[in-house]
Amino acid sequence: MKKTDAYIRRYEGCMTDCVAYYLNLHPENVPLFVKFGKGWSKKFRAWWKKRGYIVRWDLCEKPPKRGTHIIVGDSLVWKKYSHMVVYRNGKLVYDPAYPSEWKGNKITHRLIILTP
Protein backbone atom coordinates (compact mmCIF):
# COMPACT_ATOMS: atom_id res chain seq x y z
CA MET A 1 0.00 0.00 0.00
CA LYS A 2 1.39 3.36 -1.00
CA LYS A 3 0.75 6.00 1.64
CA THR A 4 -0.80 9.20 0.38
CA ASP A 5 0.20 12.60 1.72
CA ALA A 6 -3.22 12.81 3.36
CA TYR A 7 -2.58 9.52 5.18
CA ILE A 8 0.89 10.63 6.29
CA ARG A 9 -0.41 13.99 7.51
CA ARG A 10 -3.14 12.27 9.54
CA TYR A 11 -1.17 9.38 11.06
CA GLU A 12 2.54 10.24 10.85
CA GLY A 13 2.68 14.02 10.60
CA CYS A 14 3.11 15.06 14.23
CA MET A 15 6.47 16.71 13.50
CA THR A 16 5.00 18.77 10.69
CA ASP A 17 1.99 19.70 12.80
CA CYS A 18 4.08 20.76 15.81
CA VAL A 19 6.41 22.88 13.67
CA ALA A 20 3.37 24.51 12.06
CA TYR A 21 1.83 25.18 15.47
CA TYR A 22 5.09 26.61 16.84
CA LEU A 23 5.55 28.96 13.87
CA ASN A 24 1.82 29.73 13.49
CA LEU A 25 1.72 28.31 9.95
CA HIS A 26 -0.86 26.15 8.23
CA PRO A 27 0.44 22.53 8.28
CA GLU A 28 0.23 22.37 4.48
CA ASN A 29 2.93 25.08 4.39
CA VAL A 30 5.34 22.85 6.30
CA PRO A 31 6.96 19.82 4.63
CA LEU A 32 6.08 16.28 5.62
CA PHE A 33 9.50 15.72 7.14
CA VAL A 34 8.89 11.99 7.66
CA LYS A 35 8.77 11.54 3.87
CA PHE A 36 12.44 12.50 3.61
CA GLY A 37 13.55 9.12 5.03
CA LYS A 38 17.31 8.96 5.47
CA GLY A 39 18.76 12.42 5.70
CA TRP A 40 15.56 13.92 7.11
CA SER A 41 17.44 15.63 9.95
CA LYS A 42 19.73 17.56 7.61
CA LYS A 43 16.76 18.67 5.49
CA PHE A 44 14.83 19.56 8.67
CA ARG A 45 17.65 21.82 9.91
CA ALA A 46 18.04 23.38 6.44
CA TRP A 47 14.31 24.18 6.32
CA TRP A 48 14.54 26.03 9.66
CA LYS A 49 17.77 27.79 8.64
CA LYS A 50 16.09 29.10 5.49
CA ARG A 51 13.61 30.81 7.83
CA GLY A 52 16.29 32.35 10.04
CA TYR A 53 16.53 29.75 12.82
CA ILE A 54 19.18 27.35 14.01
CA VAL A 55 17.82 24.14 15.53
CA ARG A 56 19.31 21.20 17.36
CA TRP A 57 18.03 18.36 19.50
CA ASP A 58 18.77 18.23 23.21
CA LEU A 59 18.16 15.37 25.62
CA CYS A 60 15.53 16.16 28.23
CA GLU A 61 13.17 14.34 30.55
CA LYS A 62 10.92 17.23 31.58
CA PRO A 63 9.76 20.23 29.58
CA PRO A 64 11.22 23.58 30.62
CA LYS A 65 8.99 25.65 32.91
CA ARG A 66 9.34 28.77 30.74
CA GLY A 67 8.83 29.35 27.06
CA THR A 68 7.33 27.31 24.23
CA HIS A 69 9.06 24.06 23.32
CA ILE A 70 8.67 21.26 20.80
CA ILE A 71 9.03 18.07 22.82
CA VAL A 72 9.72 14.53 21.59
CA GLY A 73 9.00 11.26 23.33
CA ASP A 74 8.24 7.64 22.71
CA SER A 75 5.13 7.02 20.65
CA LEU A 76 2.09 5.84 22.55
CA VAL A 77 1.13 3.65 19.58
CA TRP A 78 4.22 2.52 17.63
CA LYS A 79 7.11 0.88 19.50
CA LYS A 80 9.92 2.04 17.20
CA TYR A 81 8.66 5.58 16.62
CA SER A 82 8.51 8.88 18.42
CA HIS A 83 5.74 11.37 18.97
CA MET A 84 6.00 15.15 19.08
CA VAL A 85 3.96 17.67 21.09
CA VAL A 86 4.26 21.33 22.11
CA TYR A 87 4.59 22.62 25.67
CA ARG A 88 4.28 26.18 26.91
CA ASN A 89 5.52 27.14 30.38
CA GLY A 90 5.78 23.49 31.40
CA LYS A 91 2.26 22.50 30.27
CA LEU A 92 1.07 20.61 27.24
CA VAL A 93 -0.64 23.04 24.83
CA TYR A 94 -0.74 21.05 21.59
CA ASP A 95 -0.85 17.37 20.68
CA PRO A 96 -1.55 16.55 17.02
CA ALA A 97 -3.09 13.24 18.11
CA TYR A 98 -6.63 14.05 19.16
CA PRO A 99 -7.89 13.24 21.69
CA SER A 100 -4.57 13.52 23.48
CA GLU A 101 -3.39 10.60 25.55
CA TRP A 102 0.03 12.18 26.08
CA LYS A 103 1.08 12.02 29.72
CA GLY A 104 4.60 13.44 29.45
CA ASN A 105 6.22 10.43 31.10
CA LYS A 106 8.07 9.33 27.98
CA ILE A 107 9.86 12.58 27.07
CA THR A 108 13.28 12.01 25.52
CA HIS A 109 14.25 15.21 23.65
CA ARG A 110 13.34 18.78 22.94
CA LEU A 111 14.07 20.93 19.94
CA ILE A 112 16.29 23.90 20.72
CA ILE A 113 15.27 26.77 18.42
CA LEU A 114 17.65 29.70 18.20
CA THR A 115 17.71 32.85 16.13
CA PRO A 116 21.21 33.71 14.90
Side-chain angles (χ1 to χ4, degrees):
M1 173 183 128
K2 184 175 178 180
K3 295 179 185 178
T4 64
D5 283 359
Y7 177 91
I8 293 169
R9 281 194 189 284
R10 173 67 180 101
Y11 297 104
E12 300 173 7
C14 63
M15 180 183 290
T16 294
D17 289 347
C18 286
V19 169
Y21 181 90
Y22 184 90
L23 295 172
N24 196 27
L25 298 172
H26 191 284
E28 291 181 3
N29 294 327
V30 179
L32 284 167
F33 298 110
V34 295
K35 283 183 70 174
F36 293 147
K38 289 184 179 180
W40 73 266
S41 187
K42 185 176 180 180
K43 292 176 183 176
F44 180 76
R45 287 190 312 271
W47 186 87
W48 281 90
K49 188 173 185 179
K50 200 179 200 182
R51 281 146 190 83
Y53 299 92
I54 296 171
V55 297
R56 67 177 171 82
W57 298 104
D58 191 29
L59 294 174
C60 103
E61 293 179 358
K62 292 183 179 182
K65 297 282 185 199
R66 294 172 57 183
T68 302
H69 301 273
I70 296 176
I71 301 290
V72 180
D74 295 335
S75 171
L76 301 174
V77 179
W78 312 104
K79 289 183 181 180
K80 294 183 180 181
Y81 293 89
S82 296
H83 184 56
M84 196 172 283
V85 295
V86 180
Y87 275 75
R88 183 175 297 122
N89 299 329
K91 296 184 184 198
L92 179 68
V93 293
Y94 180 69
D95 182 353
Y98 178 84
S100 179
E101 295 181 22
W102 183 262
K103 304 291 185 232
N105 59 346
K106 295 187 174 198
I107 293 172
T108 58
H109 294 79
R110 71 183 175 113
L111 185 65
I112 305 292
I113 303 166
L114 305 168
T115 53

